PDB file of all heavy atoms in Angstrom:
ATOM      1  N   TYR A 167      66.500 -15.830  41.861  1.00  0.00           N
ATOM      2  CA  TYR A 167      66.787 -15.852  40.422  1.00  0.00           C
ATOM      3  C   TYR A 167      67.494 -14.566  40.017  1.00  0.00           C
ATOM      4  O   TYR A 167      68.529 -14.573  39.359  1.00  0.00           O
ATOM      5  CB  TYR A 167      65.480 -16.017  39.646  1.00  0.00           C
ATOM      6  CG  TYR A 167      65.615 -15.798  38.153  1.00  0.00           C
ATOM      7  CD1 TYR A 167      66.173 -16.778  37.329  1.00  0.00           C
ATOM      8  CD2 TYR A 167      65.167 -14.612  37.555  1.00  0.00           C
ATOM      9  CE1 TYR A 167      66.300 -16.580  35.972  1.00  0.00           C
ATOM     10  CE2 TYR A 167      65.286 -14.403  36.198  1.00  0.00           C
ATOM     11  CZ  TYR A 167      65.849 -15.387  35.405  1.00  0.00           C
ATOM     12  OH  TYR A 167      65.975 -15.178  34.061  1.00  0.00           O
ATOM     13  N   THR A 234      69.774  -7.611  29.970  1.00  0.00           N
ATOM     14  CA  THR A 234      68.556  -8.260  30.502  1.00  0.00           C
ATOM     15  C   THR A 234      68.645  -8.591  31.985  1.00  0.00           C
ATOM     16  O   THR A 234      67.636  -8.883  32.609  1.00  0.00           O
ATOM     17  CB  THR A 234      68.205  -9.539  29.713  1.00  0.00           C
ATOM     18  OG1 THR A 234      69.309 -10.431  29.805  1.00  0.00           O
ATOM     19  CG2 THR A 234      67.919  -9.224  28.267  1.00  0.00           C
ATOM     20  N   TYR A 292      65.590   0.860  21.099  1.00  0.00           N
ATOM     21  CA  TYR A 292      65.010  -0.433  21.474  1.00  0.00           C
ATOM     22  C   TYR A 292      64.458  -0.400  22.897  1.00  0.00           C
ATOM     23  O   TYR A 292      63.295  -0.699  23.143  1.00  0.00           O
ATOM     24  CB  TYR A 292      66.102  -1.479  21.328  1.00  0.00           C
ATOM     25  CG  TYR A 292      65.778  -2.883  21.755  1.00  0.00           C
ATOM     26  CD1 TYR A 292      65.549  -3.875  20.812  1.00  0.00           C
ATOM     27  CD2 TYR A 292      65.760  -3.246  23.096  1.00  0.00           C
ATOM     28  CE1 TYR A 292      65.298  -5.174  21.193  1.00  0.00           C
ATOM     29  CE2 TYR A 292      65.505  -4.535  23.493  1.00  0.00           C
ATOM     30  CZ  TYR A 292      65.265  -5.504  22.542  1.00  0.00           C
ATOM     31  OH  TYR A 292      65.017  -6.785  22.933  1.00  0.00           O
ATOM     32  N   LEU A 295      61.456   1.815  23.398  1.00  0.00           N
ATOM     33  CA  LEU A 295      60.222   1.183  22.927  1.00  0.00           C
ATOM     34  C   LEU A 295      59.755   0.127  23.917  1.00  0.00           C
ATOM     35  O   LEU A 295      58.575   0.041  24.256  1.00  0.00           O
ATOM     36  CB  LEU A 295      60.450   0.551  21.547  1.00  0.00           C
ATOM     37  CG  LEU A 295      60.380   1.520  20.376  1.00  0.00           C
ATOM     38  CD1 LEU A 295      60.834   0.848  19.101  1.00  0.00           C
ATOM     39  CD2 LEU A 295      58.962   2.041  20.210  1.00  0.00           C
ATOM     40  N   TYR A 309      64.297  -0.114  32.262  1.00  0.00           N
ATOM     41  CA  TYR A 309      64.568  -0.028  30.829  1.00  0.00           C
ATOM     42  C   TYR A 309      64.964   1.392  30.434  1.00  0.00           C
ATOM     43  O   TYR A 309      65.820   1.598  29.582  1.00  0.00           O
ATOM     44  CB  TYR A 309      63.360  -0.500  30.016  1.00  0.00           C
ATOM     45  CG  TYR A 309      63.329  -1.994  29.814  1.00  0.00           C
ATOM     46  CD1 TYR A 309      62.386  -2.801  30.438  1.00  0.00           C
ATOM     47  CD2 TYR A 309      64.277  -2.616  28.994  1.00  0.00           C
ATOM     48  CE1 TYR A 309      62.372  -4.176  30.255  1.00  0.00           C
ATOM     49  CE2 TYR A 309      64.261  -3.979  28.806  1.00  0.00           C
ATOM     50  CZ  TYR A 309      63.311  -4.759  29.434  1.00  0.00           C
ATOM     51  OH  TYR A 309      63.312  -6.111  29.245  1.00  0.00           O
ATOM     52  N   VAL A 388      63.156  12.931  31.161  1.00  0.00           N
ATOM     53  CA  VAL A 388      62.991  13.158  29.726  1.00  0.00           C
ATOM     54  C   VAL A 388      63.891  14.294  29.238  1.00  0.00           C
ATOM     55  O   VAL A 388      63.809  14.692  28.083  1.00  0.00           O
ATOM     56  CB  VAL A 388      61.525  13.442  29.316  1.00  0.00           C
ATOM     57  CG1 VAL A 388      60.632  12.315  29.762  1.00  0.00           C
ATOM     58  CG2 VAL A 388      61.036  14.760  29.868  1.00  0.00           C
ATOM     59  N   GLY A 438      44.018  10.987  36.203  1.00  0.00           N
ATOM     60  CA  GLY A 438      42.795  10.211  36.100  1.00  0.00           C
ATOM     61  C   GLY A 438      42.023  10.288  37.404  1.00  0.00           C
ATOM     62  O   GLY A 438      42.510  10.835  38.392  1.00  0.00           O
ATOM     63  N   ILE A 471      70.278  24.306  36.255  1.00  0.00           N
ATOM     64  CA  ILE A 471      70.356  25.757  36.097  1.00  0.00           C
ATOM     65  C   ILE A 471      71.804  26.245  36.070  1.00  0.00           C
ATOM     66  O   ILE A 471      72.146  27.175  35.353  1.00  0.00           O
ATOM     67  CB  ILE A 471      69.561  26.430  37.240  1.00  0.00           C
ATOM     68  CG1 ILE A 471      68.077  26.110  37.075  1.00  0.00           C
ATOM     69  CG2 ILE A 471      69.763  27.930  37.244  1.00  0.00           C
ATOM     70  CD1 ILE A 471      67.266  26.373  38.308  1.00  0.00           C
ATOM     71  N   GLN A 474      77.662  24.481  35.198  1.00  0.00           N
ATOM     72  CA  GLN A 474      79.093  24.777  35.186  1.00  0.00           C
ATOM     73  C   GLN A 474      79.760  24.350  36.491  1.00  0.00           C
ATOM     74  O   GLN A 474      80.914  23.944  36.514  1.00  0.00           O
ATOM     75  CB  GLN A 474      79.305  26.276  34.936  1.00  0.00           C
ATOM     76  CG  GLN A 474      80.753  26.719  34.787  1.00  0.00           C
ATOM     77  CD  GLN A 474      81.453  26.046  33.615  1.00  0.00           C
ATOM     78  OE1 GLN A 474      80.819  25.419  32.775  1.00  0.00           O
ATOM     79  NE2 GLN A 474      82.762  26.151  33.551  1.00  0.00           N
TER      80      GLN A 474
ATOM     81  N   VAL B  65      80.622  26.156  30.150  1.00  0.00           N
ATOM     82  CA  VAL B  65      81.716  26.459  29.233  1.00  0.00           C
ATOM     83  C   VAL B  65      82.493  25.170  29.009  1.00  0.00           C
ATOM     84  O   VAL B  65      83.119  24.650  29.925  1.00  0.00           O
ATOM     85  CB  VAL B  65      82.672  27.518  29.804  1.00  0.00           C
ATOM     86  CG1 VAL B  65      83.803  27.791  28.825  1.00  0.00           C
ATOM     87  CG2 VAL B  65      81.924  28.791  30.126  1.00  0.00           C
ATOM     88  N   TRP B  73      73.406  32.500  30.728  1.00  0.00           N
ATOM     89  CA  TRP B  73      72.047  32.995  30.889  1.00  0.00           C
ATOM     90  C   TRP B  73      72.127  34.503  30.677  1.00  0.00           C
ATOM     91  O   TRP B  73      72.924  35.172  31.325  1.00  0.00           O
ATOM     92  CB  TRP B  73      71.524  32.725  32.284  1.00  0.00           C
ATOM     93  CG  TRP B  73      71.288  31.298  32.630  1.00  0.00           C
ATOM     94  CD1 TRP B  73      72.029  30.530  33.481  1.00  0.00           C
ATOM     95  CD2 TRP B  73      70.226  30.460  32.183  1.00  0.00           C
ATOM     96  NE1 TRP B  73      71.500  29.271  33.578  1.00  0.00           N
ATOM     97  CE2 TRP B  73      70.386  29.203  32.793  1.00  0.00           C
ATOM     98  CE3 TRP B  73      69.143  30.647  31.314  1.00  0.00           C
ATOM     99  CZ2 TRP B  73      69.514  28.139  32.570  1.00  0.00           C
ATOM    100  CZ3 TRP B  73      68.286  29.584  31.092  1.00  0.00           C
ATOM    101  CH2 TRP B  73      68.476  28.354  31.717  1.00  0.00           C
ATOM    102  N   TYR B 154      43.048  17.044  35.539  1.00  0.00           N
ATOM    103  CA  TYR B 154      43.727  15.777  35.275  1.00  0.00           C
ATOM    104  C   TYR B 154      42.846  14.551  35.489  1.00  0.00           C
ATOM    105  O   TYR B 154      43.238  13.446  35.160  1.00  0.00           O
ATOM    106  CB  TYR B 154      44.983  15.664  36.130  1.00  0.00           C
ATOM    107  CG  TYR B 154      44.741  15.846  37.612  1.00  0.00           C
ATOM    108  CD1 TYR B 154      44.219  14.804  38.383  1.00  0.00           C
ATOM    109  CD2 TYR B 154      45.033  17.048  38.243  1.00  0.00           C
ATOM    110  CE1 TYR B 154      43.982  14.969  39.728  1.00  0.00           C
ATOM    111  CE2 TYR B 154      44.796  17.218  39.598  1.00  0.00           C
ATOM    112  CZ  TYR B 154      44.270  16.180  40.338  1.00  0.00           C
ATOM    113  OH  TYR B 154      44.032  16.347  41.668  1.00  0.00           O
ATOM    114  N   ARG B 171      57.662  17.590  21.108  1.00  0.00           N
ATOM    115  CA  ARG B 171      58.985  16.983  21.210  1.00  0.00           C
ATOM    116  C   ARG B 171      59.534  16.597  19.838  1.00  0.00           C
ATOM    117  O   ARG B 171      60.738  16.637  19.614  1.00  0.00           O
ATOM    118  CB  ARG B 171      58.923  15.747  22.105  1.00  0.00           C
ATOM    119  CG  ARG B 171      59.264  16.054  23.547  1.00  0.00           C
ATOM    120  CD  ARG B 171      60.753  16.094  23.701  1.00  0.00           C
ATOM    121  NE  ARG B 171      61.174  16.791  24.883  1.00  0.00           N
ATOM    122  CZ  ARG B 171      62.036  16.307  25.778  1.00  0.00           C
ATOM    123  NH1 ARG B 171      62.531  15.118  25.621  1.00  0.00           N
ATOM    124  NH2 ARG B 171      62.413  17.037  26.787  1.00  0.00           N
ATOM    125  N   ALA B 576      56.834  -2.242  20.382  1.00  0.00           N
ATOM    126  CA  ALA B 576      57.333  -2.266  21.752  1.00  0.00           C
ATOM    127  C   ALA B 576      57.078  -3.621  22.390  1.00  0.00           C
ATOM    128  O   ALA B 576      57.969  -4.236  22.965  1.00  0.00           O
ATOM    129  CB  ALA B 576      56.663  -1.159  22.565  1.00  0.00           C
ATOM    130  N   ASP B 584      63.747  -9.563  23.893  1.00  0.00           N
ATOM    131  CA  ASP B 584      64.397  -9.552  25.206  1.00  0.00           C
ATOM    132  C   ASP B 584      64.230 -10.884  25.916  1.00  0.00           C
ATOM    133  O   ASP B 584      65.184 -11.476  26.393  1.00  0.00           O
ATOM    134  CB  ASP B 584      63.784  -8.434  26.071  1.00  0.00           C
ATOM    135  CG  ASP B 584      64.772  -7.320  26.306  1.00  0.00           C
ATOM    136  OD1 ASP B 584      65.508  -7.024  25.352  1.00  0.00           O
ATOM    137  OD2 ASP B 584      64.803  -6.774  27.414  1.00  0.00           O
ATOM    138  N   ASP B 589      67.435 -13.650  26.597  1.00  0.00           N
ATOM    139  CA  ASP B 589      67.464 -14.405  27.839  1.00  0.00           C
ATOM    140  C   ASP B 589      67.570 -15.902  27.584  1.00  0.00           C
ATOM    141  O   ASP B 589      68.248 -16.601  28.300  1.00  0.00           O
ATOM    142  CB  ASP B 589      66.214 -14.091  28.676  1.00  0.00           C
ATOM    143  CG  ASP B 589      66.481 -12.929  29.609  1.00  0.00           C
ATOM    144  OD1 ASP B 589      67.623 -12.449  29.594  1.00  0.00           O
ATOM    145  OD2 ASP B 589      65.564 -12.520  30.330  1.00  0.00           O
ATOM    146  N   ASP B 594      69.726 -17.407  30.746  1.00  0.00           N
ATOM    147  CA  ASP B 594      68.975 -18.587  31.144  1.00  0.00           C
ATOM    148  C   ASP B 594      69.548 -19.840  30.501  1.00  0.00           C
ATOM    149  O   ASP B 594      69.617 -20.896  31.126  1.00  0.00           O
ATOM    150  CB  ASP B 594      67.494 -18.430  30.784  1.00  0.00           C
ATOM    151  CG  ASP B 594      66.823 -17.391  31.671  1.00  0.00           C
ATOM    152  OD1 ASP B 594      67.509 -16.912  32.603  1.00  0.00           O
ATOM    153  OD2 ASP B 594      65.661 -17.057  31.427  1.00  0.00           O
TER     154      ASP B 594
END
Side-chain angles (χ1 to χ4, degrees):
Chain A
Y167 169 77
T234 59
Y292 176 105
L295 279 171
Y309 275 110
V388 304
I471 293 164
Q474 185 61 12
Chain B
V65 179
W73 292 108
Y154 54 79
R171 266 278 161 129
D584 249 38
D589 269 358
D594 290 354

